[in-house]
Amino acid sequence: MNIQQVDYNGLIPNNVGLSTDVRVKRALEKWHPGYINWWHDMGPEGFQESLVYLRTAVSVDPKGWAVFDYVRMPEYRWGILLAPAAEGRTIPFGAHKGEPAWQEVPGEYRAMLRRLIVIQGDTEPASVEQQRHLGKTAPSLYDMRNLFQVNVEEGRHLWAMVYLLHKYFGADGRDEAEGLLQRRSGDVDTPRMLGAFNEKTPDWLSFFMFTFFVDRDGKMQLEAQAQSGFDPLSRTCRFMLTEEAHHMFVGETGIGRTVQRTCEAMVQAGIDDPYNIDAIRKLGVIDLPTIQKKLNLHYSLALDLFGSEVSTNAANAFNSGLKGRFQEHRLQDDHQLQSDVYPVLKLINGDIKRVDEPALTALNMRLRDDYTNDCSKGVARWNKIIEATGIKFQLGLPHVAFRRNIGEFRDIEASPTGELLDTAAWQKRKDEWVPSQADGDFITGLMQPVVEPGKFASWIAPPKVGIDNKPGDFEYVKIA
Ligand SMILES: [Fe+2]
Ligand SMILES: [Fe+2]
């Protein structure tokens, strides 16, 4: 079978030879109805019958992997797609560096590998659950379509992880695959596994922030797992990254268009003070300081996803060859890190200081630094948009000690500039730094749906180009 082409004949599109793998095919066909039920219960609310102009992966050829067409979401062809195998691939890092990549689960690392896959898998349906109400307040059909595209692809990513569980982990893999359909974002009894995935995504600015910051954490995790010595995981993650790029595009351009619209409205009204919040809000746009607060909130939530700065779990995952570093192949070292150090920000006697830690245990910190770097490029592009309008305001990432629940800074309070605060001072000032109830109410009030093709809500600028080069008034969703 040609790996580039996907077999669309069966119930589950795939390029993993499912038609001849009877055991796994049966297991997945058994899991399928539960997935469809979950999609109906927890997928986009109110639009299950609508025709959505979606891309579907039909190949893993980087030059032409997707087709665009109208689809009802429950009929989307969620498939199992692995990037092509690299001939003679070896394990790129850790204690097994240079050995042939594993095609089967290495027995000694079975539990660790399963846990990595389950945690990754759990985030995928969680975000669909978090975003399920947003279709009803979409600022345009273009944005609504992008939301649904992200949602169906997160659904496919769940399939990707469930395939690995069924194929390589026997009975306990089957149980874990069931568990992925049982947990619910924000549920008190059966929450999703990671904090940021139990938060609400109450409005579209939150959605854009989520896709910019939290999907980007996803990108970093996928990058690290794409390096994995367990070849099926590597190949799965490599293809997921192709889709993930669009999710980050949605976030970055969504915030960029919001910022642009705010600045344009300010210029038009002759308001040059970005802190003249009441006057700016009257224009039907979101003031820049409130956008900064949302950014503070989502960035700090996303940083927690990287785990503790110093972590023996991270060291073990690297040492065993399961989870590498961002762009491992580009790094100029021995890829084993037995005697290297890495600088980590720590809280020492009430001061935030940089301390060298063994590089192996500092891998979470390192991945987080790579992430911050990636985020700051997007922030710089938003600032260019503001600058071009002549408004004097800069967005920025808050300090890593700000509003943390995991790692070095979980027990302290700090301002966005990294100034340590006592609880009273934090309580007094926190509404300056994260959205207050009143900010949330204002944004919620703005979230009026716009469903006329080519029209956009007051608070967001139209995109520069359409999806699949469609014209501005294209009907991306035919609402049923
Ligand atoms: Fe995903
Ligand atoms: Fe994503």
Side-chain angles (χ1 to χ4, degrees):
M1 191 182 61
N2 177 359
I3 180 83
Q4 310 281 19
Q5 289 311 317
V6 177
D7 174 3
Y8 269 86
N9 294 324
L11 179 66
I12 304 157
N14 70 94
N15 70 348
V16 294
L18 215 52
S19 61
T20 55
D21 192 346
V22 179
R23 182 188 64 83
V24 176
K25 183 166 174 272
R26 283 215 186 111
L28 288 171
E29 283 173 355
K30 252 182 110 175
W31 186 81
H32 185 263
Y35 172 81
I36 295 293
N37 286 340
W38 167 81
W39 181 269
H40 276 290
D41 290 348
M42 298 310 295
E45 199 185 336
F47 296 90
Q48 303 276 357
E49 289 305 312
S50 298
L51 287 167
V52 188
Y53 192 70
L54 293 174
R55 73 176 182 190
T56 302
V58 291
S59 158
V60 288
D61 181 348
K63 286 195 282 299
W65 59 275
V67 292
F68 288 83
D69 207 349
Y70 285 106
V71 187
R72 281 186 191 85
M73 284 184 277
E75 291 157 22
Y76 189 78
R77 301 301 308 272
W78 285 284
I80 296 159
L81 307 171
L82 268 55
E87 192 80 34
R89 181 168 181 262
T90 56
I91 299 168
F93 58 87
H96 301 279
K97 182 176 178 293
E99 296 173 19
W102 297 299
Q103 301 304 327
E104 294 295 330
V105 174
E108 55 194 311
Y109 305 134
R110 193 172 189 278
M112 207 191 320
L113 184 56
R114 191 185 62 208
R115 180 148 179 90
L116 282 177
I117 293 169
V118 170
I119 290 176
Q120 180 64 45
D122 194 65
T123 65
E124 313 288 357
S127 64
V128 176
E129 294 166 0
Q130 287 168 294
Q131 295 160 14
R132 66 185 304 252
H133 304 295
L134 291 173
K136 290 183 206 152
T137 54
S140 71
L141 290 182
Y142 166 88
D143 290 290
M144 188 192 282
R145 176 264 167 210
N146 284 349
L147 165 72
F148 295 157
Q149 183 70 59
V150 170
N151 293 160
V152 293
E153 284 174 351
E154 302 305 5
R156 202 200 69 71
H157 295 172
L158 171 60
W159 273 96
M161 293 299 125
V162 163
Y163 167 72
L164 294 179
L165 290 170
H166 277 300
K167 168 88 180 165
Y168 297 100
F169 292 90
D172 41 342
R174 211 159 51 233
D175 291 345
E176 295 284 12
E178 270 318 305
L180 290 168
L181 292 178
Q182 303 306 325
R183 287 184 288 277
R184 290 285 181 272
S185 174
D187 192 284
V188 222
D189 301 319
T190 55
R192 292 293 174 182
M193 295 168 87
L194 302 175
F197 292 90
N198 288 304
E199 296 285 329
K200 285 203 158 56
T201 310
D203 57 68
W204 276 77
L205 186 54
S206 300
F207 169 65
F208 292 138
M209 291 288 175
F210 187 97
T211 43
F212 184 86
F213 286 110
V214 177
D215 281 64
R216 191 176 309 274
D217 159 72
K219 166 186 156 179
M220 301 310 286
Q221 303 300 337
L222 291 174
E223 287 273 5
Q225 293 174 87
Q227 306 291 336
S228 183
F230 180 54
D231 208 40
L233 178 62
S234 162
R235 291 171 57 197
T236 300
C237 291
R238 271 160 52 210
F239 187 69
M240 288 161 76
L241 281 164
T242 317
E243 293 165 312
E244 206 60 53
H246 176 67
H247 307 183
M248 263 149 288
F249 162 86
V250 169
E252 185 179 326
T253 56
I255 297 166
R257 289 161 52 216
T258 307
V259 163
Q260 188 191 334
R261 182 71 199 102
T262 301
C263 294
E264 284 170 359
M266 285 171 66
V267 170
Q268 218 169 28
I271 301 172
D272 49 17
D273 176 7
Y275 293 93
N276 193 352
I277 288 172
D278 289 341
I280 295 166
R281 288 186 177 182
K282 283 203 183 98
L283 306 172
V285 295
I286 306 171
D287 52 284
L288 299 174
T290 298
I291 295 175
Q292 176 68 55
K293 288 192 213 176
K294 279 271 197 195
L295 186 163
N296 290 346
L297 175 73
H298 287 267
Y299 179 67
S300 59
L301 281 168
L303 289 184
D304 278 347
L305 291 170
F306 290 85
S308 292
E309 290 83 348
V310 176
S311 157
T312 49
N313 279 345
N316 290 338
F318 182 86
N319 219 9
S320 55
L322 298 182
K323 184 178 173 184
R325 290 171 293 175
F326 181 57
Q327 301 190 328
E328 184 75 44
H329 56 285
R330 290 208 188 159
L331 301 173
Q332 303 290 337
D333 56 26
D334 67 356
H335 303 276
Q336 292 184 314
L337 305 177
Q338 291 303 335
S339 50
D340 299 26
V341 292
Y342 189 85
V344 173
L345 278 185
K346 295 190 103 174
L347 190 66
I348 293 167
N349 299 328
D351 283 319
I352 297 170
K353 289 204 172 116
R354 226 165 248 286
V355 191
D356 278 347
E357 287 283 334
L360 260 183
T361 53
L363 283 163
N364 285 345
M365 176 78 191
R366 180 181 187 121
L367 193 62
R368 206 184 75 192
D369 283 344
D370 289 328
Y371 167 81
T372 297
N373 209 355
D374 212 42
C375 289
S376 53
K377 290 178 195 158
V379 175
R381 285 189 285 267
W382 298 330
N383 283 332
K384 281 239 157 61
I385 296 173
I386 302 175
E387 209 184 301
T389 65
I391 302 285
K392 300 268 177 292
F393 190 90
Q394 293 243 297
L395 293 165
L397 298 173
H399 194 276
V400 293
F402 174 74
R403 227 191 130 272
R404 299 297 306 284
N405 287 310
I406 288 179
E408 272 302 303
F409 306 111
R410 67 181 184 274
D411 296 326
I412 55 134
E413 301 295 357
S415 74
T417 53
E419 180 198 343
L420 299 183
L421 304 167
D422 58 35
T423 314
W426 164 260
Q427 281 302 339
K428 212 168 132 209
R429 299 197 61 189
K430 74 176 187 347
D431 282 357
E432 292 170 41
W433 300 323
V434 286
S436 64
Q437 180 71 41
D439 295 328
D441 292 346
F442 166 70
I443 295 174
T444 307
L446 271 188
M447 297 293 130
Q448 301 302 325
V450 175
V451 294
E452 195 182 324
K455 292 275 189 294
F456 290 80
S458 64
W459 56 272
I460 191 164
K464 288 207 175 65
V465 280
I467 292 295
D468 192 30
N469 282 318
K470 291 296 176 207
D473 60 353
F474 185 71
E475 193 176 7
Y476 288 101
V477 183
K478 295 184 179 174
I479 296 172

